[in-house]
Amino acid sequence: MLQSFKLFFNCNLVLSRSYSGYYVSRVRYLKRLKEDDEACREALKSGNFLLYHKLSPLLRKTSNGIYTLASLKTSDLEHILEKVGKDKHFVNESFLLGCTDKGEPQFSLEVGDLDRSALEQECRGMFVDLRKAFFMLPGPESPLAAKGQALLRWHQTNCFCSATGQPTIRNQSGSFRVCNSSGITYYPKMAPVVIVLVSDGSRCLLARQTMFPLGMYSALSGFCDMGESVEETLHREVAEEVGLEVENIQYSGSQHWPFPQSSFMLACHATVNPDKTQVNIDKAELEDARWFTYEEITEALRKPPLDPRREPPVFWVPPPYAIANQLIQEWANQQQLSRKLHGLE
Ligand SMILES: NC(=O)c1ccc[n+]([C@@H]2O[C@H](COP(=O)([O-])OP(=O)(O)OC[C@H]3O[C@@H](n4cnc5c(N)ncnc54)[C@H](O)[C@@H]3O)[C@@H](O)[C@H]2O)c1
Ligand SMILES: [Mg+2]
């Protein structure tokens, strides 16, 4: 028994060491591609490309009916570009995203100036709005689709220097743009947002904005003001939006969020005094905010992500790719545990 445990332990150690070695070499390779234009140009020759048409990613339906992000090899992409009347050197306009599990470089390319249906036909895929694509793609592909779009959007909206009005020039990987006139270097930006699931011990507080899909409630959120800490933003946003004072802040995780223009979501849990739970909603920000019981939450978590073609149910929570879902899931797990401890389940 002890021996088999040792064997298992040693195997895992070897595996984790080789994995970490692979991870280090992968990130160092990417760092070189980011900084070295010549190395990045070379990598473009054996790249994998995600295509976007006016920021909508190209998806493909597999033989078993699952949608996936379409990834094209350099030679296939060059061939397709030539077929739709574009010079094959257009691949050099791509931006570096990362690399695949096999260590192959990945790029995103905006092809919005080219004929959409001709491209869809040549690529055997379709360009889908990212908000819809999120519902269609398997879990790990959603963040990649989001990153590709975010990088393209940032470059499209940062073509000029805000100090001189002169054009900014990208490096080959797209990790920055520089204004040769002012010397200012611009790096892709995310706006920090705090998202918090507030609990009174037995219920959690969810809210909805008028712009949310019908029936969807989410955790409270808000952009950080200049100079604020995560804790300060969290206290302020909860006070502004629902008039409550929170305590016991616990960090849960983070996520890049491409809407509206690249946010960096910092997710936390917090509690309120169970005797002070009366919400006072800022109607300019929120349409509604309500306390939900454990039973209501577990039922909402069991529902499949909303199918846009179906009637929305009365109450549902954001789907698993949104960090709000993670917070709600964690809260439900913690409630379940404490119910078990108190013999309620
Ligand atoms: N991934 C998730 O699970 C999840 C869940 C909830 C919200 N979000 C995202 O968080 C973002 C912020 O949440 P919110 O709407 O509650 O924020 P919020 O409560 O701060 O209100 C938004 C308003 O803040 C102002 N604002 C201040 N700084 C801004 C900036 N840098 N960019 C844009 N507007 C700014 C604008 O007037 C805007 O209308 C939303 O865009 C939403 O997409 C993500
Ligand atoms: Mg808000």
Side-chain angles (χ1 to χ4, degrees):
M1 176 69 182
L2 184 69
Q3 206 128 50
S4 63
F5 172 77
K6 271 187 184 158
L7 190 67
F8 171 79
F9 181 75
N10 287 340
C11 282
N12 268 357
L13 204 66
V14 171
L15 279 175
S16 62
R17 267 201 197 129
S18 62
Y19 173 75
S20 87
Y22 173 63
Y23 176 74
V24 170
S25 56
R26 210 169 56 149
V27 295
R28 291 204 169 159
Y29 171 61
L30 278 173
K31 185 168 189 292
R32 193 159 73 85
L33 298 192
K34 267 198 245 171
E35 293 168 355
D36 182 337
D37 286 356
E38 203 42 58
C40 191
R41 263 191 288 278
E42 196 55 35
L44 281 164
K45 293 178 187 161
S46 55
N48 290 267
F49 295 82
L50 306 184
L51 299 192
Y52 291 76
H53 196 278
K54 300 199 188 333
L55 298 175
S56 293
L58 180 71
L59 268 51
R60 240 183 224 152
K61 201 174 183 177
T62 60
S63 53
N64 46 9
I66 294 168
Y67 284 92
T68 174
L69 265 178
S71 178
L72 283 83
K73 298 272 181 204
T74 311
S75 54
D76 295 335
L77 177 58
E78 287 176 344
H79 182 65
I80 288 168
L81 286 174
E82 283 179 335
K83 275 189 123 176
V84 298
K86 191 82 180 167
D87 190 291
K88 66 176 188 174
H89 293 109
F90 185 57
V91 295
N92 295 340
E93 305 285 312
S94 307
F95 299 107
L96 180 69
L97 282 183
C99 66
T100 65
D101 291 344
K102 292 179 195 151
E104 295 167 345
Q106 279 172 315
F107 298 89
S108 61
L109 180 63
E110 171 63 60
V111 289
D113 288 342
L114 306 180
D115 185 79
R116 179 177 177 145
S117 51
L119 276 168
E120 287 180 331
Q121 205 179 342
E122 288 300 330
C123 299
R124 288 171 291 108
M126 57 181 181
F127 293 102
V128 179
D129 182 85
L130 188 64
R131 282 187 193 266
K132 275 195 204 141
F134 259 11
F135 282 98
M136 297 157 80
L137 289 170
E141 291 199 349
S142 296
L144 183 63
K147 181 176 175 177
Q149 192 214 51
L151 204 55
L152 291 172
R153 188 198 295 277
W154 182 81
H155 279 279
Q156 286 171 10
T157 51
N158 286 272
C159 297
F160 296 93
C161 174
S162 50
T164 63
Q166 295 297 310
T168 55
I169 314 294
R170 59 171 282 187
N171 65 341
Q172 184 57 58
S173 68
S175 65
F176 63 79
R177 303 186 72 91
V178 66
C179 168
N180 287 333
S181 172
S182 65
I184 299 175
T185 304
Y186 295 90
Y187 295 96
K189 276 195 185 73
M190 300 187 279
V193 172
V194 174
I195 175 162
V196 56
L197 188 64
V198 178
S199 171
D200 72 351
S202 60
R203 300 173 302 166
C204 69
L205 185 63
L206 299 178
R208 54 171 283 108
Q209 301 175 6
T210 41
M211 66 189 312
F212 282 6
L214 211 58
M216 191 187 90
Y217 278 73
S218 186
L220 298 174
S221 56
F223 288 96
C224 295
D225 280 349
M226 183 66 81
E228 267 183 340
S229 66
V230 169
E231 294 81 353
E232 285 166 341
T233 305
L234 196 155
H235 282 286
R236 178 182 54 75
E237 280 293 333
V238 176
E240 277 179 11
E241 295 191 350
V242 292
L244 293 173
E245 286 186 36
V246 291
E247 49 198 26
N248 302 321
I249 297 171
Q250 279 188 352
Y251 174 74
S252 163
S254 64
Q255 170 184 55
H256 166 250
W257 190 243
F259 315 111
Q261 289 198 9
S262 271
S263 303
F264 181 53
M265 309 295 304
L266 295 142
C268 297
H269 291 274
T271 59
V272 287
N273 182 329
D275 298 328
K276 291 181 182 165
T277 58
Q278 180 68 45
V279 293
N280 173 3
I281 303 169
D282 175 358
K283 286 283 183 182
E285 293 263 343
L286 300 176
E287 184 185 80
D288 191 22
R290 280 201 271 146
W291 291 100
F292 289 87
T293 63
Y294 171 70
E295 287 76 15
E296 287 173 305
I297 293 293
T298 45
E299 200 200 323
L301 284 170
R302 268 198 298 272
K303 283 177 196 154
L306 184 74
D307 179 342
R309 287 162 302 187
R310 266 191 294 144
E311 266 299 289
V314 179
F315 159 56
W316 59 288
V317 293
Y321 60 76
I323 202 154
N325 184 285
Q326 176 185 311
L327 284 173
I328 297 167
Q329 188 76 60
E330 283 170 353
W331 181 83
N333 292 346
Q334 205 257 323
Q335 286 288 313
Q336 189 187 29
L337 199 69
S338 89
R339 281 166 165 251
K340 274 196 180 135
L341 285 173
H342 292 95
L344 295 172
E345 287 218 337

